[in-house]
Coordinates of all heavy atoms in Angstrom, one line a residue:
Chain K
P42 N -28.3 18.5 9.2 CA -28.8 19.6 10.0 C -30.1 19.3 10.7 O -30.3 19.8 11.8 CB -29.1 20.7 9.0 CG -29.2 20.0 7.7 CD -28.4 18.8 7.7
E43 N -30.9 18.4 10.2 CA -32.2 18.0 10.9 C -32.0 17.0 12.0 O -32.4 17.1 13.1 CB -33.2 17.6 9.9 CG -34.4 16.8 10.5 CD -35.2 17.6 11.6 OE1 -35.1 18.9 11.5 OE2 -35.8 17.0 12.5
L44 N -31.2 15.9 11.6 CA -31.0 14.8 12.6 C -29.9 15.1 13.5 O -29.7 14.4 14.5 CB -30.8 13.5 11.8 CG -32.0 13.1 10.9 CD1 -31.6 11.9 10.1 CD2 -33.2 12.8 11.8
N45 N -29.0 16.1 13.2 CA -27.9 16.4 14.0 C -27.0 15.2 14.3 O -26.6 15.0 15.5 CB -28.3 17.1 15.4 CG -27.2 18.0 15.9 OD1 -26.4 18.4 15.2 ND2 -27.2 18.2 17.2
P76 N -34.1 17.3 1.2 CA -33.8 18.7 0.8 C -32.4 19.1 1.0 O -31.9 20.1 0.4 CB -34.7 19.5 1.7 CG -35.1 18.7 2.9 CD -35.0 17.3 2.4
V77 N -31.6 18.3 1.7 CA -30.2 18.7 1.9 C -29.2 17.8 1.2 O -28.0 17.9 1.4 CB -29.8 18.7 3.4 CG1 -30.5 19.8 4.1 CG2 -30.1 17.3 4.1
I80 N -26.4 19.8 -0.5 CA -25.4 20.4 0.4 C -24.5 19.4 1.0 O -23.3 19.5 1.1 CB -26.2 21.1 1.5 CG1 -26.8 22.4 1.0 CG2 -25.3 21.4 2.7 CD1 -27.5 23.2 2.1
L81 N -25.1 18.2 1.4 CA -24.3 17.2 2.0 C -23.3 16.6 1.0 O -22.2 16.2 1.4 CB -25.2 16.1 2.6 CG -26.1 16.5 3.8 CD1 -26.9 15.3 4.3 CD2 -25.3 17.0 4.9
A84 N -20.5 19.0 0.6 CA -19.7 19.1 1.8 C -18.8 17.8 1.8 O -17.6 17.9 2.2 CB -20.5 19.2 3.0
T87 N -15.9 18.2 -0.5 CA -15.0 19.2 0.1 C -14.1 18.6 1.1 O -12.9 18.7 1.1 CB -15.7 20.4 0.7 OG1 -16.5 21.0 -0.3 CG2 -14.8 21.4 1.2
V88 N -14.7 17.9 2.1 CA -13.9 17.4 3.2 C -13.0 16.2 2.7 O -11.8 16.1 3.2 CB -14.7 16.9 4.4 CG1 -15.5 18.1 5.0 CG2 -15.6 15.7 4.1
Q91 N -9.9 17.5 1.2 CA -8.9 18.2 2.1 C -8.1 17.2 2.9 O -7.2 17.5 3.6 CB -9.7 19.1 3.1 CG -10.3 20.3 2.5 CD -11.2 21.0 3.4 OE1 -11.6 20.6 4.5 NE2 -11.6 22.2 3.0
P93 N -5.2 14.8 3.6 CA -3.8 14.7 3.0 C -3.7 13.4 2.2 O -4.1 12.3 2.6 CB -2.9 14.6 4.3 CG -3.7 15.3 5.3 CD -5.1 15.0 5.1
W108 N -32.2 3.6 1.3 CA -31.8 3.8 2.7 C -32.9 3.4 3.6 O -34.1 3.6 3.3 CB -31.4 5.2 2.9 CG -30.9 5.5 4.3 CD1 -29.7 5.5 4.8 CD2 -31.7 6.0 5.4 NE1 -29.6 5.9 6.1 CE2 -30.9 6.2 6.5 CE3 -33.1 6.3 5.6 CZ2 -31.3 6.6 7.7 CZ3 -33.6 6.7 6.8 CH2 -32.7 6.9 7.9
P110 N -33.8 3.2 8.1 CA -33.3 3.6 9.5 C -32.3 2.5 10.1 O -31.5 2.8 11.0 CB -34.5 3.8 10.3 CG -35.6 4.0 9.3 CD -35.3 3.3 8.1
E111 N -32.4 1.2 9.6 CA -31.6 0.2 10.2 C -30.1 0.5 9.8 O -29.2 -0.1 10.5 CB -32.0 -1.2 9.6 CG -33.2 -1.8 10.3 CD -34.4 -1.1 10.1 OE1 -34.6 -0.5 9.0 OE2 -35.3 -1.1 11.0
G122 N -32.2 9.0 20.5 CA -33.4 8.6 21.2 C -34.3 7.8 20.3 O -35.5 7.9 20.4
M123 N -33.8 7.1 19.3 CA -34.6 6.4 18.4 C -35.0 5.0 18.9 O -34.3 4.4 19.6 CB -33.8 6.3 17.0 CG -33.8 7.6 16.3 SD -32.9 7.4 14.7 CE -33.9 6.3 13.8
R124 N -36.1 4.6 18.3 CA -36.6 3.2 18.7 C -35.8 2.2 17.9 O -35.4 2.4 16.8 CB -38.1 3.0 18.3 CG -39.0 3.9 19.2 CD -40.4 3.5 18.9 NE -41.0 4.3 17.9 CZ -41.8 5.4 18.1 NH1 -42.0 5.8 19.3 NH2 -42.4 6.1 17.1
Chain F
V74 N -35.8 23.6 -3.0 CA -34.9 22.8 -2.2 C -35.2 21.3 -2.4 O -34.4 20.5 -2.6 CB -35.0 23.2 -0.7 CG1 -34.2 22.2 0.1 CG2 -34.4 24.6 -0.5
F208 N -39.3 13.9 9.7 CA -38.9 14.3 11.1 C -39.0 13.1 12.0 O -38.3 13.0 13.0 CB -39.9 15.4 11.6 CG -39.7 16.7 10.9 CD1 -40.8 17.4 10.5 CD2 -38.5 17.2 10.5 CE1 -40.7 18.6 9.8 CE2 -38.3 18.4 9.9 CZ -39.4 19.1 9.5
V266 N -46.9 7.8 12.9 CA -46.2 8.1 14.2 C -45.7 6.8 14.8 O -44.6 6.7 15.3 CB -47.1 8.9 15.1 CG1 -46.5 9.0 16.5 CG2 -47.4 10.3 14.6
G269 N -42.7 5.5 13.0 CA -41.5 6.3 13.0 C -40.5 5.8 14.0 O -40.9 5.3 15.1
R270 N -39.2 5.9 13.7 CA -38.2 5.4 14.6 C -37.7 6.4 15.6 O -37.1 6.1 16.6 CB -37.0 4.9 13.8 CG -37.4 3.9 12.7 CD -37.9 2.6 13.3 NE -36.9 1.9 14.1 CZ -36.1 1.0 13.5 NH1 -36.2 0.7 12.3 NH2 -35.1 0.4 14.3
R271 N -38.0 7.7 15.3 CA -37.5 8.8 16.2 C -38.7 9.4 17.0 O -39.7 9.6 16.5 CB -37.0 9.9 15.3 CG -36.1 11.0 16.0 CD -35.8 12.0 14.9 NE -35.0 13.1 15.4 CZ -34.9 14.2 14.8 NH1 -35.5 14.4 13.7 NH2 -34.2 15.2 15.3
R272 N -38.4 9.5 18.3 CA -39.4 10.1 19.2 C -39.6 11.6 18.7 O -38.6 12.3 18.6 CB -39.0 10.1 20.6 CG -39.7 8.9 21.4 CD -39.3 8.8 22.8 NE -38.5 7.6 23.1 CZ -37.2 7.6 23.4 NH1 -36.5 8.7 23.5 NH2 -36.5 6.5 23.6
K334 N -39.9 24.1 12.8 CA -38.9 23.2 12.2 C -38.5 23.8 10.8 O -37.3 23.9 10.5 CB -39.6 21.9 11.8 CG -39.6 20.9 13.0 CD -38.3 20.3 13.2 CE -38.4 19.1 14.2 NZ -37.1 18.7 14.6
F338 N -34.7 25.6 9.6 CA -34.1 24.8 8.6 C -33.7 25.7 7.4 O -32.6 25.7 6.9 CB -34.9 23.6 8.1 CG -34.4 23.0 6.8 CD1 -33.3 22.2 6.8 CD2 -35.0 23.3 5.6 CE1 -32.8 21.7 5.7 CE2 -34.5 22.8 4.4 CZ -33.4 22.0 4.5
W341 N -31.0 28.1 8.2 CA -29.7 27.4 8.3 C -29.3 27.1 6.8 O -28.1 27.3 6.5 CB -29.9 26.1 9.0 CG -28.7 25.2 9.1 CD1 -27.8 25.2 10.1 CD2 -28.2 24.3 8.1 NE1 -26.7 24.4 9.9 CE2 -27.0 23.8 8.7 CE3 -28.6 23.9 6.9 CZ2 -26.2 22.9 8.0 CZ3 -27.8 23.0 6.2 CH2 -26.6 22.5 6.7
F342 N -30.2 26.7 6.0 CA -29.9 26.3 4.6 C -29.2 27.5 3.9 O -28.2 27.4 3.2 CB -31.1 25.9 3.9 CG -30.9 25.4 2.5 CD1 -30.7 24.0 2.3 CD2 -31.0 26.2 1.4 CE1 -30.5 23.5 1.1 CE2 -30.7 25.7 0.1 CZ -30.5 24.3 0.0
G346 N -25.5 26.4 4.8 CA -25.4 25.4 3.9 C -24.2 25.5 3.0 O -23.4 24.5 2.9
L349 N -21.0 24.2 4.9 CA -20.9 22.9 5.5 C -19.7 22.1 4.9 O -19.5 22.1 3.7 CB -22.2 22.1 5.2 CG -22.3 20.8 6.0 CD1 -22.4 21.0 7.5 CD2 -23.6 20.1 5.5
G350 N -18.9 21.6 5.8 CA -17.7 20.9 5.3 C -16.5 21.8 5.2 O -15.3 21.3 5.1
R351 N -16.7 23.1 5.2 CA -15.6 24.0 5.1 C -15.2 24.7 6.5 O -14.1 24.9 6.8 CB -15.9 25.1 4.1 CG -16.0 24.6 2.7 CD -16.5 25.7 1.7 NE -16.5 25.2 0.3 CZ -17.4 24.4 -0.2 NH1 -18.5 24.1 0.5 NH2 -17.3 24.0 -1.4
A356 N -26.1 23.6 14.4 CA -27.1 22.7 13.9 C -28.4 23.6 13.6 O -28.5 24.7 14.1 CB -27.5 21.7 14.9
A357 N -29.2 23.1 12.7 CA -30.4 23.9 12.4 C -31.3 24.2 13.6 O -31.8 25.3 13.7 CB -31.3 23.1 11.3
G431 N 0.4 18.7 7.4 CA -0.3 17.9 6.4 C -1.7 17.4 6.9 O -2.4 16.8 6.2
H433 N -5.5 18.6 8.8 CA -6.4 19.7 9.0 C -6.9 19.6 10.4 O -7.3 18.6 10.9 CB -7.6 19.6 8.1 CG -7.2 19.9 6.7 ND1 -7.3 21.2 6.1 CD2 -6.7 19.2 5.7 CE1 -6.9 21.2 4.9 NE2 -6.5 20.0 4.6

Side-chain angles (χ1 to χ4, degrees):
Chain K
E43 163 55 28
L44 299 173
N45 205 24
V77 290
I80 285 179
L81 294 181
T87 300
V88 299
Q91 289 171 351
W108 181 89
E111 279 68 34
M123 286 179 64
R124 293 190 267 262
Chain F
V74 171
F208 295 137
V266 171
R270 304 297 292 271
R271 191 184 180 201
R272 260 180 248 112
K334 278 286 193 191
F338 167 76
W341 181 94
F342 188 88
L349 189 63
R351 293 175 175 83
H433 288 269

